[in-house]
Amino acid sequence: MDFPLSVLDLVPVPSGTPASAAMRSSIDLARTAERLGFERYWISEHHSMPAISSSAPEVLLARIAALTERIRVGSGGIMLPNHVPMRVAEIFHTLAGLYPGRVDLGLGRAPGSDARASRALRAASGEQFSEMLNELWALSHGSLNRGHPYHGVTVMPDDVELPPIWILGSSGASAHSAGAAGMGYSFASHFSPVPAEPALRRYRDAFQPSAAFPTPHAILGVSVICAPTDEEAEHLAATVDLMWLRLRKGEFLPLPSPEEALAYDYSDMERNAILENRDRHIIGDPESVRQQIDALRADAQPDEIMIVSNIHDPSKRLRSYELVAEAMAS
């Protein structure tokens, strides 16, 4: 591929499938992505959602890293308010020591869960994200001043550095701070209601070089459903139509099959909402998908595209990534 493509895996749980099987499907996808030449493989963090089995991304990415050789692995992302910064530092120092040069630390401020799960996690407020990020960085680098209560705490292993940090965003609010801090930036256009181009521009305008990022690097997350024909792609996309509608209603059910979705009795209002949401997805045969990705690249000017494909059948999810890779290589 002449342009970096990567994978974002929510570890979706298809209806009628055990959640643990979804994790094993992710391993198959990661191996396929490496074979196809994808740049990196990120796993999201969500909690108490029967549709998504990615509650412990650091565990899954450790397994995937062990079963692959080249592809970068990372969190897309760790929802920092759900965690104590010290533990995040320790976990990612450990991963960096086990898989040198292959680990990314993507961080977000959203809870990745509902209010009850957030309480069960003892999650902090998202408003504390910047403070927690600073603490994570300072603990990792041993730079807390003598008056700080954590001064002298050592993050082990201490002979490796924290992996490159990427700030995740979907509104553009964090774009400036990510650039000013010399970090990577990833914009989630697959669920954002706002265009990506202004956020990516703010990130680049504010960028200050750092050791991990001598130049800015912006990733654009996109939802893609690719099949040999437009007709089949549209059929597979029925899954994301009903999935999105359920999420909008606070229903976190397993990923519906296209047949389940097509049998659903949509109201006129629901159908209109689904049509509006379709603008956030790239759906079609390989040539159509290539053209749509090229149009996004021309508009937002990302340095990399990260693809999420919520397809009910794991074999067709694999095929979607294969077809995209082939189309973008032509």
Side-chain angles (χ1 to χ4, degrees), residues 43 56-66 73-75 92 95 99 103:
I43 299 173
E58 66 274 21
V59 177
L60 279 172
L61 69 88
R63 179 62 174 161
I64 285 170
V73 297
S75 55
F92 278 84
L95 290 169
Y99 309 105
V103 180

Side-chain angles (χ1 to χ4, degrees), residues 287-317:
E287 178 58 23
S288 172
V289 165
R290 185 188 65 78
Q291 291 177 5
Q292 292 177 72
I293 290 177
D294 284 345
L296 269 180
R297 288 174 55 190
D299 180 48
Q301 297 291 307
D303 300 293
E304 187 174 331
I305 294 284
M306 181 169 279
I307 295 170
V308 58
S309 295
N310 289 313
I311 295 174
H312 183 269
D313 185 332
S315 66
K316 292 181 179 179
R317 183 166 75 138

Side-chain angles (χ1 to χ4, degrees), residues 68-87:
T68 53
E69 296 179 358
R70 176 203 57 81
I71 196 167
R72 294 190 67 92
V73 297
S75 55
I78 293 293
M79 299 295 106
L80 191 53
N82 294 341
H83 306 274
V84 177
M86 175 75 174
R87 285 296 292 139

Side-chain angles (χ1 to χ4, degrees), residues 42-64:
W42 282 6
I43 299 173
S44 66
E45 177 188 342
H46 293 86
H47 300 278
S48 190
M49 293 185 181
I52 300 172
S53 191
S54 57
S55 59
E58 66 274 21
V59 177
L60 279 172
L61 69 88
R63 179 62 174 161
I64 285 170

